Amino acid sequence: MRSWAGLLLVIGTFSVVISETDTVNIGAILNSETINGKVSTIAMKTAVDDVNSDPTILPGKTLSLSFHDANFSGFLSIVGALRYMEINTVAIIGPQSSVMAHVLSHLATELHVPFLSFTALDPSLSPLQYPYFIQTAPNDLYQMTAIADIVTYFGYRKVTAIFTDDDQFRNSISTLGDVLFERRCKLSYKAPLPPDSSLTPQDITNGLLKVRESESRVIIVNTYSKTGLSVFNTAKKLGMMKKGYVWIATTWLSTVLDSKGISGNNTSVLHGVLTVRPHTPDSDKKRGFITRWKGLSNGSIGLNPYGLYAYDTVWMIAYAINKFLNGGGKISFSSDSSLKKAKGLNLGALSFFDGGKRLRAKLLETNMTGLTGPFWFNPDQSLVHPSFDVINIIGNQGRVVGYWSNHSGLSVGSPEPLYAKKSNRSFSNERLGTVIWPGNTKDKPRGWEFSNNGRPLRIGVPLRVSFKEIVTQINGSRDIHGFSIDVFLAAIKLIPYPVPYEFVKFGDGYKNPSYTDLVNNVAYNVFDAAVGDIAIVTNRTKVVDFTLPYIESGLVVVVPVKKLNSSAWAFLRPFTPLMWAVTGAFFIIIGAVVWILEHRLNDEFRGPPKRQLVTILWFTLSTMFFSHRENTVSTLGRMVLFIWLFVVLIINSSYTASLTSILTVQQLSTTIRGIDSLITTNERIGFQVGSFAENYMKEELNIPQSRLVALGSPKEYAEKLGAGIVAAIVDERPYIDLFLSNNCRFQIVGQEFTKSGWGFAFPKDSPLAIDMSTAILTLSENGKLQKIHDHWLKNKTCASRDSDSDQLQLESFCGLFLIFGIACSIALLLYFGMMLWEFGKHHSEPLEESRKTGSRSVRLQRFLSFADEKEEVSKSKLKRKREMLRSGVCGAEVDSRNRSNRIQAEVDDERNVNS
């Protein structure tokens, strides 16, 4: 504030000034010795000449542009800005750096003079805070998004940033960290460098040495061009430009490439580096300007995109002033009354641009097509269609390997055709061309290495005292074996780079350690990883990263079992009493139904009543074994018998299976059938020391601690279960399978009520976790993982038993019985319907004669006699009756003789049938 006060006192006092001249003044604040300063100076002078030579723009007015060299000094930038306020400047192009943009934007807001910059692109220069500061090139939010997408495209998860520690670059790196976080990546290390004015070669060396000690080999360099080249030269000396590194430079490097080229000394240094460049679409106007450039610059410097933005910025101001004047605006300045009230300071010299607000609005309404393509603003005051070229430095040349746009992400084609299509930023659609990496290789670098501090990975291994098939400690830190250890050793051999490590035992050797504590030690960097039978559960995944599970696991319930007590009536156990009764009833029904359907047709179902009863009983029982010798001749009888034999087949099969199970299966000695029934009891529950089962039962199942009993070994499992101290044990399936292989007095009940697996734990965002997961997947695919499992865990286990279905219930067969009953009913209805119809044909008498014959009981008796007759006899009678009617013989004598003959024939037929 003191410097501001002194400066303002020096400037002095000015009265109200109203400009009526034909000259419109604009200014520029640049660092003339920088690349962008030199290029933009030429471009803006050319733009002013082109504007003044165009009679359609600012007719009768002359656009005047003056330059102020800030010479890398913030103080001189302020002086230049205040100086422009003295000469009635309507707009100022600059400052060149974001450091001064934060300061001068306050002046612009106060005096309503628009500041426009195409190089001060700090994302934190918000238009809400600084409404009169306008960025006329895509700000660094888009550049950092492009770099984050490149990092994500190549699958990297950790990034290191080297940057100059000022507003120009610090805020951009902070934005990069936010964008990486959105993509589940991490800015793992920041290496700030002092500003150029105080930077020494030793500062660069010290910063790079710290970077080299970190794991990440993906390095972003965001700084000034001079500092950036020094960083790469120092990195070359430190051996950091070799194979395995990924270097990405921001736009400063593409600016050097376009304007100065890469000298012979830097050819090998920058080989394989990626950089980005603001993308400007090809056009006739752009090609014409490029052709003019050599003459404009006298070959002193090459054109870069910021020169094109400088040219367009001048035209943008010219168009806006033209609209402002055509709309009745006047260029006038006056003193700010609020500034005069400041005590101790004479601020009257600062001119307030009366039309500044209207001019700012006209600037933001700009809609033109310039050298950089479409040039207008979004509602958030950012330029439309921000895009970048992705460049791969090869030797002293830059090869475009792709493009990035905010509309379509990464692509190998120019983004302009994609703007006409719907925006699609999905990862599957993003593409880049082939990249040559440092070390002159096309193989994508891994992107990380173990730190160069010489310390191997400290891998925590649980010191188990039970189930040592999982992890068995023998002697020494490396002489450790077991299922989990062998899986780790097999996987680590598949990693395509050396991984130095040492095993560190975790536990006191007297009881199994807490696996939650083991995982927390990885999260707190006590261990670099943890290997063992570590269950992947939710709480643990919040603090560490796990590999893919190398074995499935889940909690199960184990209870004691007892042998079934045999008895003389064990054969009756497969069916319930009701099932036996219904089955027996249906055996009788089938006999009766078949007898009814076959009696008139089949001689095997005729004869004396005693004989027929025996036939029915024998037929019924013989169908049980499919050994009936009686043939069925009627269609209905065969249909019913076919359905019945199918029912018998099902009943026989079910009986045999159930009886076999009952006579061989062990039965549960408790009523516990799974975790649900276990929760409802008040019985005590055992769990393995160190297992997550304890917390799971307390926190998820709400089982009180008083019911939980910690057990330390399979021997203790058997003792506590056998003695009834615990009613059940809850533990993970692999442990239980090992326990049951030697303890067949117990068994698993119910289903696994959690689904998880065992994995190896690594710190969050560890690249080694991803590579180990890939190795485990390879072991699974080539069968080696199964071989390791079989070697350690393939033992004969006691099969799980389900005793809930000792007896077969009637409900299981009611469908079969229902179908059979319906079939019998339909068959009987059809049979009796046909019988009534046949009976009507044989006994069709006049109504008067029918009434004379007697009551209904007589007619019923006749029907039963007819039904008992053999069908052949009935047909014979009907035939003779019809012949008599046709003969027409009358008279009592003939009738008497025919009646006698008919009676005699019936007697003979009956004798024949009974014989």
Side-chain angles (χ1 to χ4, degrees), residues 253-254 256-258 260-264 266-275 277 390-401 436:
L253 181 55
S254 64
V256 172
L257 177 68
D258 292 335
K260 296 182 65 176
I262 297 175
S263 64
N266 292 324
T267 300
S268 61
V269 172
L270 297 173
H271 186 76
V273 176
L274 290 175
T275 185
R277 172 174 61 198
V390 181
I391 300 173
N392 186 199
I393 305 296
I394 302 175
N396 62 354
Q397 302 293 323
R399 179 168 61 92
V400 176
V401 295
I436 303 298

Side-chain angles (χ1 to χ4, degrees), residues 499-515:
V499 181
Y501 67 90
E502 63 179 4
F503 290 132
V504 180
K505 299 175 184 177
F506 179 75
D508 57 14
Y510 297 102
K511 64 178 181 180
N512 292 333
S514 168
Y515 282 62

Side-chain angles (χ1 to χ4, degrees), residues 476-733:
S477 62
R478 280 192 176 267
D479 198 5
I480 301 176
H481 297 284
F483 171 60
S484 298
I485 300 300
D486 283 5
V487 172
F488 173 79
L489 295 176
I492 207 73
K493 292 178 181 178
L494 299 177
I495 302 296
Y497 47 85
V499 181
Y501 67 90
E502 63 179 4
F503 290 132
V504 180
K505 299 175 184 177
F506 179 75
D508 57 14
Y510 297 102
K511 64 178 181 180
N512 292 333
S514 168
Y515 282 62
T516 299
D517 292 344
L518 174 60
V519 169
N520 288 336
N521 279 343
V522 175
Y524 299 148
N525 296 320
V526 177
F527 296 133
D528 299 306
V531 171
D533 45 332
I534 307 171
I536 303 173
V537 295
T538 303
N539 289 337
R540 296 172 183 174
T541 58
K542 294 178 180 178
V543 296
V544 298
D545 281 346
F546 281 95
T547 62
L548 288 175
Y550 58 88
I551 185 175
E552 292 184 357
S553 181
L555 294 177
V556 293
V557 178
V558 177
V559 297
V561 295
K562 65 179 180 180
K563 289 289 185 178
L564 175 67
N565 294 324
S566 299
S567 68
W569 303 101
F571 68 91
L572 295 175
R573 290 180 59 85
F575 291 162
T576 61
L578 180 59
M579 179 64 185
W580 279 117
V582 172
T583 302
F586 269 87
F587 269 100
I588 296 174
I589 290 171
I590 182 60
V593 170
V594 171
W595 179 85
I596 292 172
L597 298 176
E598 294 290 321
H599 179 67
R600 301 188 71 241
L601 299 174
N602 195 339
D603 291 340
E604 294 183 359
F605 289 90
R606 300 187 64 83
K610 182 178 180 181
R611 177 186 170 187
Q612 293 183 45
L613 181 60
V614 172
T615 299
I616 291 172
L617 293 176
W618 171 252
F619 177 82
T620 296
L621 296 175
S622 61
T623 57
M624 182 184 299
F625 309 102
F626 307 98
S627 59
H628 52 284
R629 61 184 181 181
E630 294 80 9
N631 295 321
T632 53
V633 297
S634 67
T635 301
L636 293 176
R638 288 175 176 176
M639 180 193 72
V640 170
L641 182 61
F642 174 79
I643 296 175
W644 172 248
L645 292 178
F646 177 75
V647 173
V648 170
L649 174 65
I650 300 300
I651 292 175
N652 280 345
S653 301
S654 302
Y655 176 86
T656 303
S658 181
L659 182 62
T660 302
S661 176
I662 287 173
L663 295 179
T664 58
V665 168
Q666 296 175 343
Q667 302 299 307
L668 297 179
S669 60
T670 70
T671 59
I672 297 172
R673 296 294 185 268
I675 188 62
D676 293 332
S677 56
L678 179 61
I679 293 174
T680 58
T681 68
N682 291 320
E683 302 285 352
R684 304 185 76 187
I685 306 169
F687 66 90
Q688 184 181 176
V689 174
S691 171
F692 78 95
E694 179 184 13
N695 288 334
Y696 182 86
M697 287 189 285
K698 288 193 299 183
E699 297 173 5
E700 302 296 332
L701 304 181
N702 297 318
I703 297 176
Q705 181 68 50
S706 59
R707 290 183 57 191
L708 303 180
V709 179
L711 305 176
S713 66
K715 181 179 179 181
E716 196 171 1
Y717 281 14
E719 291 176 354
K720 301 298 184 183
L721 274 176
I725 297 176
V726 295
I729 290 175
V730 173
D731 204 350
E732 295 179 74
R733 186 62 183 255

